[in-house]
Amino acid sequence: MRKFWTLLTREVRSYFYSPIAYIVMIFFLIISGIDFYFQVSFMNQRQVQYTIQEAFFNSVFFWFAFVLIFPLITMRLFAEEFKLGTIEPLTTAPVRDWQVILSKFFGALVFYLILWIPTLLYFWIFARVTNQPAAHAPGAYFGSYLMLLLLGMFYLSIGCLTSVLTRNQIIAAIISFCAITLLFFLGLVKFILHDVLPGYHRHAADRSLREHDHCRSDAHVSGIPIPEMEALIYG
């Protein structure tokens, strides 16, 4: 395990040694901040039946940032190693292949989790300023961030796969973006196949990122398909 932790530390540090990490962080914080501001402004203008937590996780700005960050995070993982020729020394070093792969995956996951930490402050500041809860129940936060974790692990694994397929980081990012976007819009297929293939439209909807909105934004954690998400990540 000491070798794995050494590789993991190397991967996490490599993110903050490159400008792309800070570009991704600034981009994500700006988009999420604008999203939160617009949602609060809209709720101040009229009375709504949903909370700011539900509005934040179901907006266009949220989905735009969410889909775009994965190709940016994962495009360099293996493609850069192939381009620089450092993959050969890494694979011939006294470490196992699974240690190399998992260190890169969890390194990307650590950076992904760091991106979401500031969003917790949004809800805390909202509650302190307005003296109103940002969600109906604490379980709403748990359910939302748990699903973000599981979906993030799934799409990071797709990014790792696409990064192995090419030496070019841009091509890896494009392939990853196309694959994730396809899964994102897969829920729209259910409307087309509803009358043609009644059984398959449900199967397609279950794998759509967009179809898990309700599970992520309400407090009923039991509605989250956790076993299925784990199968997608590790399968």
Side-chain angles (χ1 to χ4, degrees):
M1 286 299 293
R2 180 178 300 179
K3 296 178 180 178
F4 170 76
W5 287 111
T6 302
L7 291 172
L8 178 60
T9 303
R10 169 181 174 269
E11 291 299 325
V12 174
R13 287 180 177 176
S14 67
Y15 274 103
F16 297 97
Y17 288 156
S18 63
I20 188 65
Y22 300 97
I23 294 175
V24 172
M25 292 179 68
I26 294 173
F27 163 79
F28 181 77
L29 290 177
I30 290 176
I31 296 298
S32 61
I34 292 175
D35 176 24
F36 195 85
Y37 172 78
F38 282 163
Q39 298 302 329
V40 172
S41 299
F42 180 81
M43 295 176 69
N44 283 333
Q45 296 174 1
R46 64 194 67 185
Q47 188 173 4
V48 296
Q49 300 300 321
Y50 50 83
T51 64
I52 185 63
Q53 179 263 340
E54 293 174 323
F56 178 74
F57 288 114
N58 287 280
S59 68
V60 175
F61 288 104
F62 171 83
W63 289 114
F64 174 74
F66 185 80
V67 171
L68 195 58
I69 60 175
F70 296 105
L72 298 177
I73 293 175
T74 60
M75 65 181 185
R76 56 167 292 278
L77 289 179
F78 291 96
E80 186 178 37
E81 300 281 2
F82 285 117
K83 181 180 180 180
L84 298 178
T86 55
I87 191 66
E88 288 81 6
L90 187 61
T91 54
T92 56
V95 293
R96 297 185 180 275
D97 292 341
W98 68 266
Q99 292 176 325
V100 175
I101 295 172
L102 288 183
S103 65
K104 289 186 173 294
F105 173 78
F106 282 103
L109 180 61
V110 169
F111 181 75
Y112 170 75
L113 294 177
I114 292 174
L115 292 178
W116 289 104
I117 293 177
T119 62
L120 294 171
L121 295 176
Y122 299 165
F123 303 114
W124 181 79
I125 294 174
F126 176 86
R128 290 294 300 270
V129 172
T130 63
N131 292 321
Q132 296 179 357
H136 290 304
Y141 298 111
F142 180 75
S144 299
Y145 284 97
L146 176 60
M147 182 54 72
L148 286 175
L149 172 63
L150 295 176
L151 286 173
M153 293 175 68
F154 175 48
Y155 289 114
L156 286 174
S157 64
I158 293 178
C160 290
L161 174 62
T162 58
S163 183
V164 175
L165 301 177
T166 177
R167 296 170 178 264
N168 191 305
Q169 297 184 35
I170 304 300
I171 296 177
I174 293 174
I175 297 174
S176 176
F177 177 76
C178 292
I180 293 173
T181 304
L182 176 63
L183 290 170
F184 180 87
F185 287 106
L186 197 59
L188 299 178
V189 177
K190 75 171 187 176
F191 297 105
I192 301 174
L193 300 179
H194 184 273
D195 296 326
V196 181
L197 298 173
Y200 181 76
H201 93 277
R202 174 60 182 173
H203 181 76
D206 287 342
R207 279 147 184 80
S208 168
L209 184 153
R210 191 68 182 87
E211 288 299 309
H212 295 300
D213 279 358
H214 180 71
C215 295
R216 187 165 49 246
S217 60
D218 65 21
H220 302 291
V221 182
S222 60
I224 299 176
I226 294 178
E228 181 178 345
M229 289 304 302
E230 291 179 344
L232 290 172
I233 293 167
Y234 298 108

